[in-house]
Amino acid sequence: MHTRLYIIINDSSLNMADIDAIYVSNFFGGPLDGQLHLNSAITSLIPDMNIPIVRVETACASSSVAFNQAIQSLNQFSNVMIIGVENMPDSTYLDPTDAIAMAADNAIDYQNGLIFPASYALITQQYMLKYGIGYNVLEKVSYRNH
């Protein structure tokens, strides 16, 4: 992970000395890499800087929320870096399917077999019933977006 973070930081068009704060978004660092405190990993790459580094974890919305937080912080900082990083390796900590399920209601949904694909299928069925659409409409959406 350190190598990837180093590449991300050095890919910025700004000089690192110009960065006033960093927001790092990540969901799987803990369950799959055993690294929840990515702030420290980033700090070790830029040891001479004394800036706030905030990890944002909101499952699938992590990068969007980090972006939102960075925008809100612009009244306090001039240059804010946002780093979004995910890695889904062959984990020795947790199966990736179980890690993804951590974003759902584990106590009720996941334990009863309602994994994300099944959940989205049920939502789609209800949407189709409510609005009276057929599969052909969804096929067009899929075709257009791929």
Side-chain angles (χ1 to χ4, degrees):
M1 175 132 349
H2 283 80
T3 303
R4 291 185 302 271
L5 290 173
Y6 183 78
I7 291 168
I8 292 166
I9 289 171
N10 285 306
D11 193 42
S12 172
S13 61
L14 292 174
N15 185 312
M16 280 310 297
D18 297 330
I19 304 295
D20 301 315
I22 297 174
Y23 288 85
V24 58
S25 69
N26 177 265
F27 174 52
F28 292 120
L32 295 181
D33 288 334
Q35 175 61 278
L36 278 173
H37 200 28
L38 293 173
N39 323 43
S40 293
I42 294 170
T43 301
S44 69
L45 298 173
I46 50 172
D48 297 331
M49 297 182 69
N50 187 19
I51 61 172
I53 302 174
V54 179
R55 177 179 174 262
V56 177
E57 187 280 298
T58 52
C60 297
S62 294
S63 289
S64 298
V65 173
F67 182 71
N68 179 274
Q69 293 298 303
I71 289 172
Q72 290 185 37
S73 74
L74 289 174
N75 64 359
Q76 185 178 3
F77 304 113
S78 296
N79 296 307
V80 179
M81 178 182 275
I82 305 163
I83 299 173
V85 58
E86 291 293 351
N87 185 32
M88 293 184 70
D90 293 331
S91 177
T92 58
Y93 295 96
L94 189 64
D95 178 73
T97 303
D98 292 331
I100 292 169
M102 293 173 79
D105 183 344
N106 188 40
I108 298 172
D109 295 344
Y110 187 63
Q111 296 303 319
N112 289 298
L114 188 59
I115 59 175
F116 279 115
S119 178
Y120 293 131
L122 291 171
I123 292 167
T124 302
Q125 285 176 340
Q126 290 304 305
Y127 184 89
M128 291 171 69
L129 286 171
K130 182 176 181 178
Y131 294 102
I133 64 170
Y135 289 105
N136 61 326
V137 174
L138 296 179
E139 289 168 0
K140 290 177 185 174
V141 171
S142 178
Y143 178 78
R144 181 178 181 122
N145 288 303
H146 290 89

